[in-house]
Amino acid sequence: DAGVIQSPRHEVTEMGQEVTLRCKPISGHNSLFWYRQTMMRGLELLIYFNNNVPIDDSGMPEDRFSAKMPNASFSTLKIQPSEPRDSAVYFCASSSSEDSPLHFGNGTRLTVT
Amino acid sequence: AQSVTQLDSQVPVFEEAPVELRCNYSSSVSVYLFWYVQYPNQGLQLLLKYLSGSTLVESINGFEAEFNKSQTSFHLRKPSVHISDTAEYFCAAENTGGFKTIFGAGTRLFVKA
C-alpha cells in the first residue's frame, strides 16, 4: 500500500499565479479530505468528499479556492489567483468509513511570493 | 464535535520521565476520539483511537489514552518517554455517524536527554 500520494511536495509561485495541488487517495477509501496547516491557524478542514461528491466545503476560504474529485483515485485543489497569505502546508487525507482514522499524505508546502 | 482543546502548546520533558498531554472536547453528540502524531516534514499518523467499549486505549509504542465522558477529556500519557517521541501530537474528534474530523491546535512534545 503506497499510502496517500500528494504532488508536488513543494511549490513556490508568484502572487497571482494559478496553483494546482494533486492527491491520490488510498485505493478503496471512499472519503477524501483537504486540510491546510499553518502556525497561526493550525489544521483547518477545507473540504471533504464522500464517494467523489463534495459533502462540506464550508472551510474553503474564498472563491479563489476550488476542489474537484473526478474519480475515486484522484483529486485536485486549485487556487486561482494565489496570494501570499495562501502560503501553508496543504494535506490530503483519505479514510475508508466514518469510524476509520484518516490517512494523511506528506503534504504540499506552498509558498506564494 | 464542536471543538477540541489541547491545553498545552509545548511540553518539554526529560528522557525516561512520564508525560501527559491534555485534550478536552466539546460535543452535543457521541464522538470518536483520536490522537495523531506528526514528525517533521511528514503528514499526521494515527497513534490511537477510541470508538467504543473500554475507555482505556493503547498504542503499540507505549502511549495510552483514557476517555472520560464526564470530564469530556481524552488525555494522552506515556510512563517513560524516549528521545524519538519528540514530535507534535494532535487530538481529534469526530461525531459518530459523520465524517468531519476536528483537530486540536497540537502539542509539541520535546524530549531532552
Side-chain angles (χ1 to χ4, degrees), chain A residues 9 33 35 37 56 98 102, chain B residues 36 38 41 94 97 100-101:
Chain A
R9 284 300 307 272
F33 305 77
Y35 283 88
Q37 185 177 39
D56 185 346
E98 63 158 275
L102 299 174
Chain B
Y36 288 82
Q38 184 181 30
N41 299 315
E94 177 191 329
K100 193 170 181 177
T101 302

Side-chain angles (χ1 to χ4, degrees), chain B residues 7-81:
Chain B
L7 297 165
D8 307 295
S9 59
Q10 295 186 67
V11 174
V13 63
F14 284 104
E15 192 174 19
E16 297 183 6
V19 71
E20 178 180 82
L21 307 184
R22 295 178 292 170
C23 172
N24 287 89
Y25 68 93
S26 167
S27 179
S28 56
V29 298
S30 297
V31 294
Y32 302 129
L33 296 165
F34 307 86
W35 276 98
Y36 288 82
V37 59
Q38 184 181 30
Y39 298 102
N41 299 315
Q42 295 184 26
L44 281 69
Q45 305 170 35
L46 179 70
L47 190 60
L48 45 75
K49 63 183 178 182
Y50 169 78
L51 303 181
S52 64
S54 173
T55 57
L56 184 66
V57 291
E58 299 176 351
S59 72
I60 58 174
N61 56 353
F63 283 93
E64 64 179 31
E66 185 159 20
F67 170 54
N68 188 317
K69 188 175 181 179
S70 62
Q71 297 185 5
T72 60
S73 68
F74 191 54
H75 301 330
L76 181 70
R77 302 183 183 96
K78 188 169 185 179
S80 176
V81 294

Side-chain angles (χ1 to χ4, degrees), chain A residues 49-110:
Chain A
F49 296 82
N50 190 41
N51 293 323
N52 311 340
V53 176
I55 302 300
D56 185 346
D57 65 353
S58 59
M60 296 286 261
E62 301 171 34
D63 290 345
R64 299 184 295 107
F65 285 69
S66 63
K68 294 182 179 180
M69 192 165 185
N71 57 62
S73 59
F74 184 64
S75 177
T76 59
L77 178 68
K78 185 177 293 186
I79 309 172
Q80 166 63 17
S82 59
E83 296 182 4
R85 59 193 169 119
D86 301 331
S87 298
V89 180
Y90 291 81
F91 286 104
C92 176
S94 68
S95 74
S96 57
S97 64
E98 63 158 275
D99 61 352
S100 296
L102 299 174
H103 295 258
F104 282 80
N106 283 328
T108 295
R109 182 174 297 276
L110 173 65

